[in-house]
Every structure is written in structure tokens, then in C-alpha cells.
Amino acid sequence: MYILDLLDEKYEGVYGFCMEYCRGGSVKDFAKSWCVDGKYGTKLNPVRVASLCVGMIECLSDVFKAKPELAHRDVKPDNFLVRADPKYGDCIVVLADLGLAEIQASISSSISCKTYESTSSISSETDKKKKSPRSICGTLVYNSYEALQGMQSQESDAYSLGMSIFALFEGCDPFNNMPVFQWITSPIEYVMALLDLISKGIGPKLFTSPLFRTLKTIEGGKFKPVHDCLNEVFKGLTLLDVEERMDVHTAREKVQSIKHLLPKIGEGWECPSIDDIVEMQLEEYGGDPGSIIQGSEEEEEEEVQNVKLGKGWITSVSVLIDHDSLIKTIDSIKKCPDSESTSELYHENRESILSKFLAYQSRSEIEEHRREIVLGYQCLQWFVCHDISGTDIYLPIPDLNDLIDTFIDHLSRVESVLEGDVDEDYCNICLGYTFKVPDKCDFFLPKISPTFHRILERGSKEKLEGDVPKWLLNALRNISSSASSSTRSSIFTLIKPYVKNWMRIYGDIKYYEEWIVILKFLSWSSEDDSPNKTICSESWPFFHPILDVVKRECSGDKIVEKDYFYVLDFFSNLCCDRSHVQEIYDNIKDLLDGWYEAVKKKKHEWGIKYWSQLISMLSTSPSLVPLLSPKYDTHMKWCKDNGGCESDYSKYCTNYSQYLKKMEDLVSFIKECPDSESTSKLYHEHRDGLLSVFRAFESKSELEEHKRELVLCCQCLRWFVRHYISGNGIYLPIPDLNDLIDTFIDQLSRVESVLEAAVDEEYCVICINYTFKVQDKRDSLFPKISPTFHRILERGSKEKLEGDVPLDLLKTLRNISISNSSSTRSSIFTLIKPYVKDWMRIYGDIEYYEQWIVILANLTWSSEDNSPNKAICSESWPFFHPILDVVKRECAGDKIIEHHYYHVLDFFSNLCCDPSHVQEIYDNIKDLLDGWYEAVKKKKHDWGIKYWSQLISMLSTSPSLVPLLSPKYDTHMKWCKDNGGWRSDYSKYCNNCTSHFQSDHP
């Protein structure tokens, strides 16, 4: 820097500074080169501004690194210049105006904000003279708390650097147009006001700058790291406490991580030549080179005035007066005791407030007059609704209509520019209006939708400050409660993309409460007086997030607190989509009883209505009907008698009746299936529904209560297993039979053990047909059915069972007794042994004896040893005479080959394995043997021939009987051998006879 004598005689005696000329000007001027219209603060490029901020940080860091004890004391955007010259390559930011700089020690080690002089210490000129710290210098609005008390250092320069970042993005100095400064007339008062604001934390915040916020969203969020880093640096640099404040070197380290994302400062900028610059400067100052150095008298006077009032941020006394007028109006509204006085005040100020919105059209004008417009907004917000001692005071309806008709379009227009600054007021205006004028909601929604869309979108990405979320949801709730179906659909379209994110970000129950009410209204069609199926279907994704909060916050008595009871209505509306009813029930079944007790205890009118409505809607699912009725029969009746809708009670009762009718119809449908394939198809359609009925009831009382539907379910399964078309048995395919037994047998046994006679017949029919068709599963099935069969056998041994139960049980045992497993046969015999005699006595018809004969014939034979089971034969001897009595009566002669009577020959032959009984057996049947032989010979009955020859062979094991059998039956036995009888029996007979005769005649 040099001080030179000017050579031109015209300026003799005039001196000036001669310094290196930075062609880019100040960073403030340089930023204008990237504006659309060249006017600073209008459509700035946020990325270019960010590059300049990084340049300022690096510049000040380099200065302090070179001169560690230097304090600049006047850091601001005007004092950072952009050096732009081809010989330097890229443009760089340099620091200028070192006129106030000095070398001094840091103050952070000895002074903190907590020990600075209070504002009262400089409250007057007299006090200042008596007790003055060091002189205050620099530009006041950029100064830190300690700098305003005359204690400046590198730490206070760091604070000023942070405020410079704010000013560069905001396009104006810090604290611009704040009403607190409107009557200030002296620097002392100005400093006092600044100290008060800074100490209270009321100061510029970088995230309020619209230009700065755009860094998060432009180019798909590419510059969001830049936004986050600069915001962190700004907050660190502007901390009140010096010890905690970030230093410029730390700030530099942090911005290095984002530097690669930003363009170079001079990239794409055309550097003007020196001649062009001089020509432009001369043109700007009227062609007088002297004015460049000295400035005009008017400019000097303006500069003096600006210095007095804080360096040029107060630009218009009329603006300040206007601000004061609006603030006074707000205070007056708040004090209005009633709607009439509020209305009077509204009409007095209506035109002046409207003028604020009409005056500014362009985005830049709105930005420049942000504070005025915000105050105008606040006036309208307080006009719509204010609070006196907890009571809301509203404008009369005509004035509310006038306010909205007059201002809403203007509000939305400026709000789209000011965004966050007026969101809360905008939402509160909408909330108050929609609450008081519900009949205008359809007209109102299209006007506010764009703004609400923007707020919803922003609120789904970051948490909104203040009451904006609450007021917005309250307004949507008011509109949704009174709107037409088309408007409700529009609201749902508006909110749908954002609901989940809002629920995640705003997790408090107070927000969920609003969502519940909104969705409750939207999912109901007021015109059709029924759920809106389309909206209900699309609302399903919100069920579980709401349910999680409901389980945590709204169980039991809490359901009748606040507006939580609306969740009952919302859930009942969702039930209109049948595919979700089961899932809804599964998730809320544990809450239903608690909710009922709560609404009953409080006799909560809407709680009663919505609870009974929910149960009614759940009952539309046939699979849920048995879970609800008769459990909730008395509950529903109580609700109907205490304010619930009678239509819900009627629907509930009708659904139960229809459910039973459908079950009865299903039995008929199964019987009419023409083949196994159609039976199988019907089975798979209803399988899960039938299973749900069995699983629904656990206790004996529940099973008793639901006897009717359980019996019908058992009947369905009985006919699925086997039905008849034109006398032919139609069976399910084997895989489906297996599935049916695997799925239902345990459930069947459980309910049958309680319901007993009501389903015994169905149970036995299912078992008999399954064991007939699926022979390889008999061994695995028997342990499952044994308890039930034991109970039926025991009951049947004391009283005669009705219907086909006895016969079907015996047929099932007969099928299982064919099992190849000796252990299974032994288990069956152990099961039946105590009851055989009583059953033979009580059920004396031959058809029962026929089954017993076959069962005992099978059980007394060991298929593994291919010989009689001696243990079972020995224990079966008590049944010989009861069976013999029936045999003599029913099975003599030709009758032996009717039905399955011929198995008596097999049973008697097995009993002969015990030699002590052979003589008695022969003595009792000798008169029948010839008749039986003639019958099987006449008909050539295959099994009759086998069993007759087997019986003669077993009788011949007794030596005393051989003379009675041979030679009488020699030809008979030879004929049997030649006509299908077992050769082993003929050989055994011949050997027994030969042995006997040889022993008598050696």
C-alpha cells in the first residue's frame, strides 16, 4: 500500500490510498454477477455463494495463521475482496480494510460471555465516560457480544465471519428491519439493544434463509452436505460463549470436506479489463474522478447517518412506522374481549393489511419486505382466532368469510415465497376458519392445497418447528369432517404420500390422534352413509403404525380420553375390505374387552356407537362370527340399549344367522358334488374357515356355547370324507383325506370330548371312512382316536347310543383291526375288552354281532407269526358263548355266507389254539358243521371254503376228536383243498388223523 500525491493540478493537496486493485470487487459485489437481473439479493446462485463463503473462511484462516496475534476488528462481506487476474489463475478471496486491525492477545483464556459488562453498564453517555471498556469499533451488527463491549480479538472476528456468511446468503445485514430498533436515535441505545438481543439468543439463524435452504434440494440433493457443513460452521462461529466458539482454523478444516462439491470461485466469470473498470467507475460517479476519492456531500451525510444508526441497515423510517402499526394492531386484537370488538378492529385495519399483500408482486419484493408481510400474516391469524382466559374469540362468520375471500389467494401467493416464516400463521388461519365455517370446506380446499402440499412434503423430510404440524393436521381434520366425498378423496390424495413419514417423524400421540380422526372421516362416505371402499383399501398401510400407538396409548380406559375413541370408527371402516378383517381382529382382539368396559363405565356416547359398529363390521367375516357370537351377544345388546346404533345390532344378529345358514348350505353343496375332484376343490375352499371355527374355542363353556356351528363343521367334514351319489360312495382323493385327518383329527377329538353325543356320529363316520380308504395310516390314527372311542365305548356300555354311532364305531375298529401290527391289535383288544359283553347284551342285533365277529377274528390272529395270537385268544374265550348263541340263531346253514358271518369260522378256529377249549367248541358247533359245508360248497364261497377247512383242521388237533372227524370229513377236506382251501390246513388235518390212528394201531 502506498500514499501518493495526485499529479493532476485540479486535485492539488488531495491525498489517497493506492492499493492493489481486485477486479472482482467485494464478495458482495461478486455475488451479484451470478444474479439473474444483476441486483444483489435477487435470484442469487446458492452454490456460488457457498463457494464465496468457503473462500472467506480460508482467507481469514490464512491471515490468522500468518499473524497469530492480529485482530481485524471489522470482518464483514464488504471487506472481503475477490482477486481476479489471469496471472493468478483462479479467483481468490482476500482480506482488505485493515485500518482498525491491531496486534493483541486472545481474550478467550480470561474472559467469557458470562463475565462481560451487562447492558446497564453502558446505558448512558455519562456511564460510558465513567466506566468505558476499550472503544467499540467495526460494524455493530457484525460484532459479537464481547466486541460490543470493546473486547475484540480473533474470537470476535470469528463471530463476525459467521455473521458474514449469514449476510451473504440473506442478501442483507444481520438484524435487518427488526422492530426493536425503530425509535433508536443514538449509538449507545443501538448497542444496548444489540447486546440484549444477542444475550437472549435472538439473532440471525442461517437455516431461516430461503436461499440457503435451497442447497438441500437443488440437483437432487447433491449439495445437501454443503448445506449441513455450512450450517454447522455458522452455528459454531456464532456461539455466545467465547470458550465454546469455533475458531476459524477449525472452520477451515470442516469446509475442506465439501470443497470438492463446489465450483471454483472464478469458474465461468469473465474478468473485465482495467480500462473497462475505470470507464464504468467514471460513468457511475458522473465522470468526475474526484468523486471516486472524496464522494459527494450527500453521500457523506448519508454515511454519517448510517454510522449513527448502525451502518445502513435502517433504510426507511416509514417502514419502521408501518411495522410499529402492525405490532400495535396485533396487541389490540389480543386484547379484544369479544367477537364484536374484533370485527370492528378488523374492518378498521382490513385495507391497510391488504395493501401489504397487494404492494409486492415479484419474489424479490416479497423477500425484501418479508417482515411486513409476516406481521400482516400474524394480524390475520389473530383476527381469525385469539384467546382470552382460555376462551377462543372468533370473528363473526360474515367477517370470517370476507377475510378468507379477500386474503386467501394473497396469503398463498406470498406464503409460497416466505415459506417457513409464515407456515404457522397460515395453518392457524386455515384451522380457525375451517372450524367455524364448515360449510365452506369444499370451496376452501382447492385454494389451500398447494401450500399444504408444500408443507406436507417439507415436513416428511425434516421435522417442522413450532405448531405448524399440529395446526396443519387440525385444519385437515376440520375439512375432512365436513367435506363432500369428492373433497375427502382430494384430501386423501393430498396426504397419502406423506402419512407414513409424518407418523415416523412426529411420533407423539397428539399427532397420531389427529391422523386417526382425519383417516376416520376420509374413510367414510357421508353421502352413501357407508365406508368409502377405495380410500379404506388405500388406507390399509396406515393400520399397523396406528395400531402400534393404540396398543401403547389407548388400551383400556384411555380409549375414552380425548379423541382416541375415533380409532374404533377407523378400524371398523377398514373392515369393509373383507381381505383385512381377519388380520384386524387378530391384532385387536385382546383390546376389545378393555374398550368395552371403558365405554360402558363412562357411558361414552360415541365410544358405545363405535365399539358396537366395530363388532358389527368384524362379524361380516364368516370365519369371525363364531369368535364374536355368543361371546359379545350381551355386550351388543347393552350397547343397543344405551345409545348404540340399532342397525349395528341388527347386522350383528343377521350375520350370525346367515353364517349358520351358510354352514347348512355347505353341507348340502358337499352332498351334491358329483365326483372326487369337485369335492376336493370345495374342501380346499372351505378348509381354513372350518379350521378357524375349531381353533376359536378353548374352554368347555365356549365349546358348549358354540355347539351349533361346531356340529355343522363336523357334518361338513363327515360329508367331505364320504358322500353318496346314486348309491355310490364319493371319497376325497387320498392326499386330501390325509390332509383332513392331519389337520382336523386333534381338533375333532378335543371338541367331541366336550360336545359328546352331538358330534359322536360325525366323528365315527369320519374315522370309519378314513380307515377304509387310507389303510397304511391306521396304526398312526389309532392312538389319536382311542380316547374318544374309549369314552363312546364306556357310555355305550351303560346306555344304548342313538343313531349309527355304535355301528360306525365298530366298523372303524374292524377296519383298524386288519392292521398288520400285532401291537396295534393288542391295543385295540385292550380298549374293547371291558365293554364287549355289555355291548353284545345291549346291541343284540346280528349286524352288531357281525362286526364283533370280524373284529375278534382279526384280533385273535397274529399276521406277523401267521398263527393265532394265543394271549388274545385266551382272553377272548368269554365272548364265545354270546357269539355262539347268535350264530345258532342267525348263521346256520346257507346264512353263513351272507354278509360277513363266515368270519365266525375264522374266530372259532383261532380259539382252538387253546387245547382246553377245543372239545367244548366242537360239542357246541358239531350240529352246524355239515350245514356250513354244504353252504360254502354250493356257493363255492372262497373265504367260506378257507375258513371251514381251517376250523376242521384246528379241531383235529384234539386227539379225542379225530375219530369224530375222520373219515367223516376226509372227502370234505379234500374237496376244500381242491377248491381254494389252504393246502396247509388239509395237510395238518391228514397228519393229525394219521398220527392218531398210528398211535391206536402201531
Side-chain angles (χ1 to χ4, degrees):
M1 180 186 296
Y2 304 93
I3 300 176
L4 301 177
D5 226 346
L6 293 183
L7 301 180
D8 197 314
E9 293 179 359
K10 181 179 179 182
Y11 301 107
E12 183 178 355
V14 178
Y15 295 89
F17 289 105
C18 182
M19 299 181 296
E20 172 193 356
Y21 185 75
C22 293
R23 302 189 190 191
S26 70
V27 292
K28 213 169 172 185
D29 294 329
F30 192 79
K32 285 194 288 187
S33 62
W34 300 107
C35 297
V36 173
D37 56 7
K39 182 179 178 181
Y40 186 72
T42 305
K43 299 183 181 176
L44 287 171
N45 185 321
V47 178
R48 295 288 183 173
V49 173
S51 293
L52 290 171
C53 290
V54 172
M56 289 193 300
I57 294 169
E58 290 180 332
C59 171
L60 194 57
S61 175
D62 288 339
V63 170
F64 288 169
K65 189 174 181 181
K67 294 288 183 182
E69 291 80 30
L70 178 72
H72 185 278
R73 302 205 300 169
D74 194 18
V75 173
K76 59 182 178 181
D78 292 312
N79 288 337
F80 286 100
L81 306 179
V82 178
R83 174 189 285 164
D85 196 293
K87 71 177 182 179
Y88 293 113
D90 182 34
C91 295
I92 60 172
V93 176
V94 295
L95 185 62
D97 198 356
L98 299 172
L100 296 176
E102 68 176 15
I103 302 297
Q104 57 182 8
S106 169
I107 67 168
S108 62
S109 61
S110 60
I111 301 175
S112 74
C113 65
K114 299 169 186 174
T115 61
Y116 295 153
E117 302 290 342
S118 67
T119 55
S120 63
S121 67
I122 51 172
S123 59
S124 68
E125 292 286 352
T126 305
D127 290 340
K128 184 171 181 287
K129 290 174 183 177
K130 289 180 183 177
K131 187 180 179 180
S132 174
R134 304 180 58 207
S135 60
I136 302 173
C137 58
T139 306
L140 299 183
V141 291
Y142 288 91
N143 278 0
S144 63
Y145 190 94
E146 71 274 8
L148 289 170
Q149 295 188 349
M151 301 173 221
Q152 290 169 294
S153 65
Q154 287 190 0
E155 284 83 351
S156 54
D157 284 345
Y159 178 92
S160 300
L161 175 62
M163 300 307 271
S164 299
I165 293 172
F166 172 83
L168 210 56
F169 273 105
E170 191 66 14
C172 63
D173 290 329
F175 301 101
N176 187 46
N177 291 344
M178 290 193 74
V180 70
F181 301 112
Q182 57 189 319
W183 293 296
I184 290 175
T185 58
S186 72
I188 294 300
E189 291 177 357
Y190 186 79
V191 171
M192 223 174 86
L194 279 175
L195 282 167
D196 188 51
L197 288 174
I198 296 172
S199 67
K200 292 178 180 178
I202 304 172
K205 295 177 175 59
L206 187 58
F207 59 78
T208 62
S209 167
L211 183 68
F212 180 67
R213 289 202 301 266
T214 59
L215 278 174
K216 291 196 296 184
T217 56
I218 57 175
E219 296 189 30
K222 174 183 175 183
F223 298 103
K224 187 176 185 300
V226 177
H227 169 278
D228 296 342
C229 180
L230 287 180
N231 195 36
E232 180 186 1
V233 169
F234 171 78
K235 289 179 180 178
L237 292 172
T238 55
L239 287 174
L240 181 61
D241 195 316
V242 177
E243 293 179 351
E244 296 179 3
R245 188 178 300 156
M246 183 185 293
D247 61 73
V248 293
H249 303 304
T250 303
R252 179 175 188 156
E253 290 174 7
K254 288 188 176 293
V255 298
Q256 294 308 303
S257 64
I258 59 170
K259 195 172 178 181
H260 68 284
L261 296 171
L262 299 169
K264 293 181 179 179
I265 293 174
E267 185 178 319
W269 180 70
E270 294 184 8
C271 178
S273 68
I274 292 295
D275 294 337
D276 291 337
I277 291 170
V278 172
E279 185 178 343
M280 284 190 298
Q281 292 280 9
L282 290 174
E283 186 176 327
E284 181 177 347
Y285 287 95
D288 182 2
S291 64
I292 301 176
I293 300 171
Q294 290 181 302
S296 64
E297 291 183 6
E298 291 81 3
E299 288 172 334
E300 289 179 3
E301 178 60 33
E302 182 182 352
E303 183 65 20
V304 171
Q305 184 66 16
N306 286 340
V307 169
K308 284 183 180 179
L309 299 182
K311 186 53 181 169
W313 69 270
I314 299 178
T315 58
S316 171
V317 176
S318 63
V319 170
L320 291 175
I321 294 172
D322 202 23
H323 286 181
D324 180 55
S325 173
L326 290 168
I327 292 170
K328 288 181 177 178
T329 301
I330 292 173
D331 290 337
S332 299
I333 302 169
K334 292 179 182 179
K335 295 175 183 176
C336 285
D338 49 46
S339 299
E340 289 69 22
S341 55
T342 307
S343 175
E344 184 178 340
L345 196 62
Y346 168 69
H347 286 291
E348 287 177 11
N349 292 274
R350 178 182 181 278
E351 296 303 323
S352 62
I353 297 172
L354 181 60
S355 67
K356 306 297 178 295
F357 296 99
L358 294 173
Y360 314 116
Q361 296 299 318
S362 70
R363 187 181 185 93
S364 59
E365 287 177 322
I366 294 171
E367 287 280 6
E368 287 172 5
H369 296 273
R370 174 185 294 263
R371 183 58 183 158
E372 290 174 73
I373 297 172
V374 170
L375 287 170
Y377 248 107
Q378 291 177 2
C379 283
L380 296 177
Q381 186 268 123
W382 287 104
F383 271 131
V384 169
C385 177
H386 61 280
D387 182 87
I388 301 293
S389 302
T391 304
D392 288 331
I393 307 294
Y394 288 89
L395 276 177
I397 300 299
D399 292 338
L400 269 178
N401 282 328
D402 176 82
L403 187 150
I404 292 299
D405 292 342
T406 304
F407 287 95
I408 191 63
D409 293 328
H410 302 304
L411 288 170
S412 300
R413 177 175 58 83
V414 300
E415 189 275 342
S416 65
V417 178
L418 303 181
E419 296 185 348
D421 285 357
V422 292
D423 280 350
E424 188 166 336
D425 300 311
Y426 186 88
C427 291
N428 211 356
I429 290 169
C430 294
L431 164 62
Y433 179 74
T434 53
F435 177 69
K436 289 295 286 183
V437 195
D439 59 326
K440 288 290 190 76
C441 287
D442 292 330
F443 151 82
F444 190 54
L445 180 67
K447 295 180 176 291
I448 66 173
S449 285
T451 301
F452 274 30
H453 178 272
R454 181 189 57 72
I455 298 174
L456 284 165
E457 185 175 28
R458 185 160 66 91
S460 68
K461 297 174 182 175
E462 58 179 310
K463 191 166 186 177
L464 302 177
E465 299 296 326
D467 287 328
V468 175
K470 182 180 178 182
W471 299 148
L472 180 136
L473 294 179
N474 282 164
L476 287 173
R477 166 183 173 168
N478 290 342
I479 301 173
S480 63
S481 68
S482 55
S484 65
S485 293
S486 60
T487 300
R488 292 185 180 186
S489 296
S490 299
I491 297 171
F492 187 77
T493 302
L494 173 69
I495 68 172
K496 181 184 174 185
Y498 309 113
V499 176
K500 273 198 169 181
N501 281 339
W502 271 59
M503 287 180 175
R504 175 178 52 81
I505 295 173
Y506 310 93
D508 292 347
I509 183 63
K510 63 181 179 181
Y511 297 111
Y512 273 89
E513 179 188 351
E514 299 304 325
W515 282 121
I516 288 168
V517 179
I518 291 168
L519 292 170
K520 161 259 188 298
F521 283 123
L522 298 184
S523 57
W524 183 263
S525 172
S526 54
E527 294 164 359
D528 300 332
D529 198 30
S530 63
N532 184 316
K533 293 184 178 180
T534 302
I535 293 180
C536 286
S537 178
E538 294 185 46
S539 297
W540 178 247
F542 314 137
F543 170 71
H544 284 286
I546 288 177
L547 178 67
D548 291 339
V549 173
V550 165
K551 286 184 174 180
R552 186 177 73 243
E553 302 287 345
C554 308
S555 58
D557 288 351
K558 291 182 180 179
I559 197 66
V560 294
E561 295 176 6
K562 300 183 182 179
D563 289 325
Y564 302 154
F565 60 88
Y566 280 111
V567 78
L568 303 174
D569 194 21
F570 175 54
F571 286 171
S572 71
N573 290 345
L574 291 182
C575 289
C576 72
D577 186 339
R578 298 288 179 83
S579 63
H580 296 140
V581 178
Q582 183 69 49
E583 187 172 351
I584 293 172
Y585 174 78
D586 290 340
N587 281 280
I588 67 172
K589 60 184 177 183
D590 296 332
L591 301 170
L592 289 173
D593 290 337
W595 288 341
Y596 171 74
E597 293 301 328
V599 300
K600 182 179 181 182
K601 179 180 176 182
K602 298 286 185 180
K603 285 200 172 181
H604 190 278
E605 181 184 3
W606 286 104
I608 293 170
K609 291 182 189 299
Y610 292 148
W611 188 90
S612 59
Q613 177 182 293
L614 176 57
I615 299 298
S616 173
M617 289 300 291
L618 290 172
S619 72
T620 58
S621 170
S623 63
L624 293 182
V625 169
L627 306 180
L628 303 171
S629 178
K631 180 178 181 180
Y632 291 125
D633 289 359
T634 54
H635 298 53
M636 290 294 285
K637 189 174 187 308
W638 183 90
C639 289
K640 182 203 65 162
D641 295 338
N642 288 273
C645 296
E646 193 157 340
S647 59
D648 291 324
Y649 179 71
S650 299
K651 183 191 292 185
Y652 170 78
C653 296
T654 301
N655 288 335
Y656 182 65
S657 299
Q658 290 177 344
Y659 168 75
L660 293 178
K661 180 65 168 59
K662 287 179 180 177
M663 292 289 290
E664 293 168 354
D665 291 342
L666 178 57
V667 173
S668 300
F669 293 154
I670 303 169
K671 292 179 181 180
E672 294 171 3
C673 284
D675 49 47
S676 299
E677 288 70 23
S678 55
T679 306
S680 174
K681 182 178 179 182
L682 200 61
Y683 168 70
H684 286 289
E685 285 178 8
H686 295 276
R687 173 186 181 278
D688 292 339
L690 294 172
L691 183 59
S692 69
V693 178
F694 287 111
R695 288 178 174 171
F697 315 113
E698 297 296 331
S699 68
K700 183 169 183 176
S701 60
E702 287 179 323
L703 293 171
E704 287 284 0
E705 287 174 352
H706 294 274
K707 180 180 291 188
R708 177 59 181 151
E709 50 260 51
L710 287 167
V711 169
L712 285 169
C713 284
C714 289
Q715 289 179 0
C716 288
L717 295 175
R718 173 256 183 274
W719 289 107
F720 271 130
V721 168
R722 187 186 187 194
H723 59 281
Y724 291 88
I725 300 293
S726 303
N728 295 318
I730 305 295
Y731 288 88
L732 275 176
I734 299 300
D736 293 338
L737 272 176
N738 281 329
D739 176 83
L740 187 148
I741 290 297
D742 292 342
T743 304
F744 289 95
I745 193 63
D746 292 331
Q747 302 295 335
L748 285 167
S749 299
R750 181 175 61 85
V751 302
E752 191 275 340
S753 65
V754 176
L755 303 182
E756 297 185 349
V759 292
D760 278 351
E761 186 168 341
E762 284 72 24
Y763 187 85
C764 291
V765 170
I766 290 169
C767 292
I768 182 179
N769 285 286
Y770 178 76
T771 54
F772 176 70
K773 288 293 286 184
V774 192
Q775 300 176 13
D776 60 329
K777 290 290 186 80
R778 291 165 178 168
D779 292 330
S780 62
L781 179 67
F782 181 70
K784 294 177 180 289
I785 66 174
S786 287
T788 300
F789 274 31
H790 178 272
R791 180 188 55 74
I792 297 174
L793 284 165
E794 185 176 30
R795 188 159 65 90
S797 67
K798 297 174 182 177
E799 59 178 307
K800 189 169 185 177
L801 302 178
E802 298 295 326
D804 291 331
V805 174
L807 192 59
D808 289 338
L809 179 140
L810 293 178
K811 286 181 178 180
T812 302
L813 291 173
R814 164 184 158 178
N815 289 342
I816 302 176
S817 69
I818 303 173
S819 167
N820 290 325
S821 168
S822 293
S823 61
T824 299
R825 293 189 181 189
S826 296
S827 298
I828 297 172
F829 187 77
T830 301
L831 173 69
I832 67 173
K833 179 185 173 184
Y835 310 112
V836 176
K837 274 196 170 183
D838 286 332
W839 270 62
M840 287 181 175
R841 175 177 52 80
I842 295 173
Y843 310 95
D845 293 345
I846 185 59
E847 61 182 345
Y848 298 107
Y849 274 90
E850 177 190 353
Q851 302 305 321
W852 282 120
I853 289 169
V854 179
I855 291 169
L856 292 170
N858 290 332
L859 297 182
T860 54
W861 182 261
S862 171
S863 56
E864 295 169 354
D865 300 332
N866 199 28
S867 63
N869 185 317
K870 292 183 180 181
I872 294 179
C873 286
S874 177
E875 294 185 58
S876 298
W877 176 250
F879 313 137
F880 170 71
H881 284 288
I883 288 177
L884 179 65
D885 293 340
V886 174
V887 165
K888 286 182 176 181
R889 185 178 73 244
E890 300 289 345
C891 306
D894 288 351
K895 291 183 179 179
I896 197 66
I897 57 174
E898 295 177 7
H899 305 294
H900 292 287
Y901 303 156
Y902 57 87
H903 280 285
V904 77
L905 304 175
D906 189 23
F907 175 54
F908 287 170
S909 71
N910 290 342
L911 292 182
C912 290
C913 72
D914 185 346
S916 63
H917 295 139
V918 177
Q919 183 66 51
E920 187 174 352
I921 293 172
Y922 176 76
D923 291 341
N924 281 277
I925 65 171
K926 61 184 179 181
D927 297 333
L928 300 170
L929 289 174
D930 290 338
W932 288 341
Y933 171 73
E934 294 300 328
V936 299
K937 181 180 180 181
K938 179 180 177 183
K939 296 291 185 178
K940 285 194 175 183
H941 190 278
D942 184 33
W943 285 102
I945 293 170
K946 286 179 168 46
Y947 291 149
W948 188 89
S949 61
Q950 176 183 289
L951 175 59
I952 299 298
S953 172
M954 290 300 292
L955 289 171
S956 70
T957 57
S958 173
S960 62
L961 293 181
V962 171
L964 303 177
L965 300 173
S966 178
K968 180 178 179 181
Y969 292 124
D970 291 355
T971 54
H972 298 56
M973 289 293 285
K974 187 176 185 306
W975 183 88
C976 288
K977 180 207 56 158
D978 296 338
N979 288 274
W982 285 303
R983 288 179 177 273
S984 59
D985 290 325
Y986 179 69
S987 298
K988 183 189 292 185
Y989 171 78
C990 293
N991 290 335
N992 290 334
C993 291
T994 301
S995 298
H996 172 74
F997 287 120
Q998 285 179 347
S999 64
D1000 284 351
H1001 307 282

